[in-house]
Amino acid sequence: MTKHIPDTSRRRLLFGGTALAAGALLTACTSNEAEPSAAQTKGADTSNPNAAAGKAVTIGFSAPAADHGWIAAITNNASAQAKAYSDVTFKQVEAGKDAAAQRAALETLIAEKPDVIVLLPHDGKELNAFGLKAMEAGIPVVNLDRAFPDALAYRLQIKGDNYGMGVAAGHYIGKTLKAKGVAAPVIGEIAGMDELELTQERSAGFKAALATYGFSVANRRAARFTADSGQKEGQNLLQALPKIDAIWNHDDDQGIGVLAAISAANRSEFFMVGGAGSKKAIEDIAADNTVLKATVTYSPSMASSAISLARLIGQGKGMSDLVELQVPKEIILASETITKENASTYLKLGF
């Protein structure tokens, strides 16, 4: 049996619609309340020679509290993946409310000397020093999603492609508008938290891709990756632009609020592209009954992969399909575009 230390403090975000307009939309939660599907774990893949039980490995894990559907899925996926291996002990430590609190919890983890640490930091720059300390102590660090700026602070960095998300959204919107013969489109953008580098990268990719079609963003708003902030900034965008051809919303969680604002305003002259690939968004795209016509992926399944790769690092193994004998230093996952045509294929990876 997998040795598994339960997380008694896990919290999942439920968006309360009663305090907001269009509450029926806002009560939909994008996080997956059930355990991740088998499609999001690979331990049962017996055709992979690395799936066989090997050297016992203790993996320390830390991620911010689940105040967002995507973060909840990160923790759920990591936990489920660890359970898939009989040779893995999964030790999760409390992340705390901010980078300082997470650092304190991680100091305790270093003292316990796990074989590998998988860490999604509150802030990569602020936790960089911890990565350096763990690596210097001989504990390999798998830096998940929010990047450490110093390559010495991690053994492996695995993350989604934020710039690529923007590029994928920009190309979908550009191609669709060109196909419709729209010469000078009005394009809106509802970003996430502007202080985060990942948001800046997403917007930069979006701008660059649109420019290849001769298009640009007419109005940009920054939300906070939550449904209520999405609703607020959605309202502001709709008020600022009496006519819109397309919108890119960076995050499917905040997209619940954006869709609520659109419904309340009774606007439907445009189409919208989401971001991340939540189960609810994919279902809406498949149903084709809202303005949401596509979403670009930033899948929390990367946490499952991080655990699998941490196990291989702890066992001194490489990836079975590669010639090299060790796990690579960096892995960036591609951002894929989900539409009505392929929604059924991607639904199993929705969170």
Side-chain angles (χ1 to χ4, degrees):
M1 292 292 291
T2 300
K3 294 168 283 183
H4 187 75
I5 299 172
D7 171 21
T8 57
S9 64
R10 181 181 301 156
R11 301 188 300 276
R12 295 185 177 90
L13 176 65
L14 293 175
F15 294 122
T18 56
L20 300 165
L25 281 172
L26 287 163
T27 53
C29 180
T30 65
S31 61
N32 187 358
E33 293 303 311
E35 285 296 309
S37 69
Q40 297 188 42
T41 61
K42 296 294 288 183
D45 185 2
T46 55
S47 63
N48 180 353
N50 281 332
K55 174 188 172 184
V57 175
T58 297
I59 299 176
F61 176 81
S62 181
D67 59 353
H68 179 271
W70 189 88
I71 291 288
I74 281 284
T75 298
N76 290 347
N77 286 346
S79 175
Q81 184 68 20
K83 289 178 181 176
Y85 297 116
S86 62
D87 51 18
V88 168
T89 297
F90 184 73
K91 185 173 181 59
Q92 182 175 343
V93 298
E94 183 67 50
K97 65 180 180 179
D98 53 26
Q102 188 175 25
R103 187 182 300 111
L106 289 166
E107 291 289 345
T108 301
L109 186 60
I110 284 183
E112 296 180 2
K113 298 182 179 179
D115 296 291
V116 188
I117 292 174
V118 176
L119 171 62
L120 196 162
H122 273 283
D123 184 286
K125 291 179 181 178
E126 291 189 44
L127 270 295
N128 185 77
F130 168 80
L132 288 170
K133 184 173 181 178
M135 290 288 288
E136 289 169 0
I139 304 171
V141 174
V142 176
N143 178 204
L144 177 59
D145 184 47
R146 296 176 184 173
F148 293 148
D150 191 339
L152 295 176
Y154 58 86
R155 163 59 184 83
L156 164 66
Q157 190 173 87
I158 178 170
K159 59 182 180 177
D161 187 356
N162 286 293
Y163 188 88
M165 281 184 75
V167 169
H171 280 313
Y172 179 85
I173 288 175
K175 289 176 182 177
T176 302
L177 292 174
K178 283 289 188 182
K180 290 182 176 183
V182 182
V186 177
I187 299 172
E189 179 182 2
I190 302 177
M193 298 164 65
D194 257 346
E195 66 269 26
L196 296 180
E197 185 177 7
L198 64 89
T199 298
Q200 299 161 23
E201 291 174 348
R202 292 178 187 185
S203 287
F206 188 52
K207 180 179 179 180
L210 288 179
T212 66
Y213 302 89
F215 300 157
S216 61
V217 174
N219 195 289
R220 180 185 183 278
R221 304 282 167 164
R224 306 293 298 176
F225 292 135
T226 62
D228 56 350
S229 68
Q231 185 187 33
K232 177 183 176 182
E233 296 307 330
Q235 290 171 340
N236 290 337
L237 183 73
L238 294 171
Q239 290 170 4
L241 300 175
K243 179 185 178 301
I244 302 174
D245 292 293
I247 295 174
W248 181 37
N249 163 61
H250 285 206
D251 178 80
D252 288 332
D253 276 352
Q254 72 184 23
I256 292 175
V258 175
L259 286 172
I262 292 168
S263 178
N266 196 28
R267 297 278 293 272
S268 61
E269 79 277 9
F270 52 84
F271 66 93
M272 187 170 89
V273 176
S278 76
K279 186 171 183 284
K280 178 66 168 59
I282 298 171
E283 289 172 343
D284 286 346
I285 290 165
D288 197 21
N289 55 11
T290 73
V291 297
L292 183 64
K293 302 304 178 185
T295 189
V296 291
T297 63
Y298 196 86
S299 177
S301 63
M302 68 177 73
S304 300
S305 297
I307 294 297
S308 290
L309 293 167
R311 171 179 173 264
L312 293 181
I313 290 169
Q315 293 177 339
K317 296 179 180 178
M319 297 170 68
S320 60
D321 289 333
L322 300 185
V323 174
E324 290 74 25
L325 301 180
Q326 297 293 325
V327 170
K329 174 75 171 177
E330 296 186 10
I331 296 176
I332 300 177
L333 307 179
S335 183
E336 303 164 68
T337 304
I338 301 174
T339 64
K340 181 180 178 180
E341 287 69 31
N342 63 10
S344 61
T345 300
Y346 282 91
L347 186 60
K348 63 187 179 183
L349 295 178
F351 60 95

PDB file of all heavy atoms in Angstrom, residues 17-18 20-28 256 280:
ATOM      1  N   GLY A  17     -22.944  32.358  -5.054  1.00  0.00           N
ATOM      2  CA  GLY A  17     -23.634  33.236  -5.981  1.00  0.00           C
ATOM      3  C   GLY A  17     -24.689  34.100  -5.333  1.00  0.00           C
ATOM      4  O   GLY A  17     -25.236  34.996  -5.962  1.00  0.00           O
ATOM      5  N   THR A  18     -25.008  33.867  -4.041  1.00  0.00           N
ATOM      6  CA  THR A  18     -26.129  34.579  -3.445  1.00  0.00           C
ATOM      7  C   THR A  18     -25.866  36.060  -3.268  1.00  0.00           C
ATOM      8  O   THR A  18     -26.794  36.865  -3.261  1.00  0.00           O
ATOM      9  CB  THR A  18     -26.464  33.969  -2.080  1.00  0.00           C
ATOM     10  OG1 THR A  18     -25.283  33.987  -1.262  1.00  0.00           O
ATOM     11  CG2 THR A  18     -26.924  32.535  -2.243  1.00  0.00           C
ATOM     12  N   LEU A  20     -24.154  37.863  -5.367  1.00  0.00           N
ATOM     13  CA  LEU A  20     -23.819  38.440  -6.648  1.00  0.00           C
ATOM     14  C   LEU A  20     -24.989  38.313  -7.602  1.00  0.00           C
ATOM     15  O   LEU A  20     -25.836  37.439  -7.473  1.00  0.00           O
ATOM     16  CB  LEU A  20     -22.599  37.721  -7.238  1.00  0.00           C
ATOM     17  CG  LEU A  20     -21.320  37.787  -6.406  1.00  0.00           C
ATOM     18  CD1 LEU A  20     -20.340  36.753  -6.913  1.00  0.00           C
ATOM     19  CD2 LEU A  20     -20.704  39.165  -6.502  1.00  0.00           C
ATOM     20  N   ALA A  21     -25.018  39.175  -8.597  1.00  0.00           N
ATOM     21  CA  ALA A  21     -26.044  39.074  -9.622  1.00  0.00           C
ATOM     22  C   ALA A  21     -25.828  37.812 -10.429  1.00  0.00           C
ATOM     23  O   ALA A  21     -24.732  37.265 -10.490  1.00  0.00           O
ATOM     24  CB  ALA A  21     -25.984  40.291 -10.540  1.00  0.00           C
ATOM     25  N   ALA A  22     -26.891  37.384 -11.093  1.00  0.00           N
ATOM     26  CA  ALA A  22     -26.823  36.164 -11.908  1.00  0.00           C
ATOM     27  C   ALA A  22     -26.256  35.009 -11.101  1.00  0.00           C
ATOM     28  O   ALA A  22     -25.369  34.285 -11.511  1.00  0.00           O
ATOM     29  CB  ALA A  22     -25.994  36.395 -13.166  1.00  0.00           C
ATOM     30  N   GLY A  23     -26.833  34.809  -9.910  1.00  0.00           N
ATOM     31  CA  GLY A  23     -26.297  33.845  -8.958  1.00  0.00           C
ATOM     32  C   GLY A  23     -26.263  32.418  -9.452  1.00  0.00           C
ATOM     33  O   GLY A  23     -25.409  31.654  -9.057  1.00  0.00           O
ATOM     34  N   ALA A  24     -27.186  32.048 -10.316  1.00  0.00           N
ATOM     35  CA  ALA A  24     -27.206  30.664 -10.785  1.00  0.00           C
ATOM     36  C   ALA A  24     -25.911  30.304 -11.487  1.00  0.00           C
ATOM     37  O   ALA A  24     -25.407  29.194 -11.364  1.00  0.00           O
ATOM     38  CB  ALA A  24     -28.389  30.455 -11.735  1.00  0.00           C
ATOM     39  N   LEU A  25     -25.362  31.255 -12.238  1.00  0.00           N
ATOM     40  CA  LEU A  25     -24.096  30.990 -12.905  1.00  0.00           C
ATOM     41  C   LEU A  25     -22.949  30.944 -11.926  1.00  0.00           C
ATOM     42  O   LEU A  25     -22.046  30.134 -12.029  1.00  0.00           O
ATOM     43  CB  LEU A  25     -23.816  32.071 -13.958  1.00  0.00           C
ATOM     44  CG  LEU A  25     -24.550  31.946 -15.292  1.00  0.00           C
ATOM     45  CD1 LEU A  25     -24.311  33.195 -16.120  1.00  0.00           C
ATOM     46  CD2 LEU A  25     -24.084  30.718 -16.047  1.00  0.00           C
ATOM     47  N   LEU A  26     -23.001  31.831 -10.945  1.00  0.00           N
ATOM     48  CA  LEU A  26     -21.864  31.964 -10.045  1.00  0.00           C
ATOM     49  C   LEU A  26     -21.751  30.842  -9.037  1.00  0.00           C
ATOM     50  O   LEU A  26     -20.696  30.648  -8.437  1.00  0.00           O
ATOM     51  CB  LEU A  26     -21.940  33.309  -9.310  1.00  0.00           C
ATOM     52  CG  LEU A  26     -21.596  34.495 -10.197  1.00  0.00           C
ATOM     53  CD1 LEU A  26     -22.081  35.774  -9.574  1.00  0.00           C
ATOM     54  CD2 LEU A  26     -20.113  34.571 -10.438  1.00  0.00           C
ATOM     55  N   THR A  27     -22.831  30.088  -8.826  1.00  0.00           N
ATOM     56  CA  THR A  27     -22.743  28.978  -7.876  1.00  0.00           C
ATOM     57  C   THR A  27     -22.071  27.762  -8.488  1.00  0.00           C
ATOM     58  O   THR A  27     -21.773  26.807  -7.788  1.00  0.00           O
ATOM     59  CB  THR A  27     -24.144  28.574  -7.369  1.00  0.00           C
ATOM     60  OG1 THR A  27     -24.990  28.336  -8.491  1.00  0.00           O
ATOM     61  CG2 THR A  27     -24.734  29.656  -6.501  1.00  0.00           C
ATOM     62  N   ALA A  28     -21.835  27.779  -9.789  1.00  0.00           N
ATOM     63  CA  ALA A  28     -21.130  26.652 -10.419  1.00  0.00           C
ATOM     64  C   ALA A  28     -19.665  26.705 -10.034  1.00  0.00           C
ATOM     65  O   ALA A  28     -19.016  27.714 -10.176  1.00  0.00           O
ATOM     66  CB  ALA A  28     -21.282  26.731 -11.934  1.00  0.00           C
ATOM     67  N   ILE A 256     -16.579  32.194 -14.776  1.00  0.00           N
ATOM     68  CA  ILE A 256     -17.951  32.012 -14.278  1.00  0.00           C
ATOM     69  C   ILE A 256     -18.584  33.371 -14.040  1.00  0.00           C
ATOM     70  O   ILE A 256     -19.733  33.635 -14.405  1.00  0.00           O
ATOM     71  CB  ILE A 256     -17.952  31.178 -12.982  1.00  0.00           C
ATOM     72  CG1 ILE A 256     -17.527  29.752 -13.282  1.00  0.00           C
ATOM     73  CG2 ILE A 256     -19.330  31.189 -12.323  1.00  0.00           C
ATOM     74  CD1 ILE A 256     -17.373  28.892 -12.044  1.00  0.00           C
ATOM     75  N   LYS A 280     -16.128  22.570 -16.124  1.00  0.00           N
ATOM     76  CA  LYS A 280     -17.340  23.339 -16.420  1.00  0.00           C
ATOM     77  C   LYS A 280     -17.208  24.067 -17.752  1.00  0.00           C
ATOM     78  O   LYS A 280     -18.152  24.076 -18.564  1.00  0.00           O
ATOM     79  CB  LYS A 280     -17.580  24.360 -15.299  1.00  0.00           C
ATOM     80  CG  LYS A 280     -18.788  25.272 -15.504  1.00  0.00           C
ATOM     81  CD  LYS A 280     -20.091  24.479 -15.455  1.00  0.00           C
ATOM     82  CE  LYS A 280     -21.314  25.393 -15.355  1.00  0.00           C
ATOM     83  NZ  LYS A 280     -21.467  26.346 -16.453  1.00  0.00           N
TER      84      LYS A 280
END
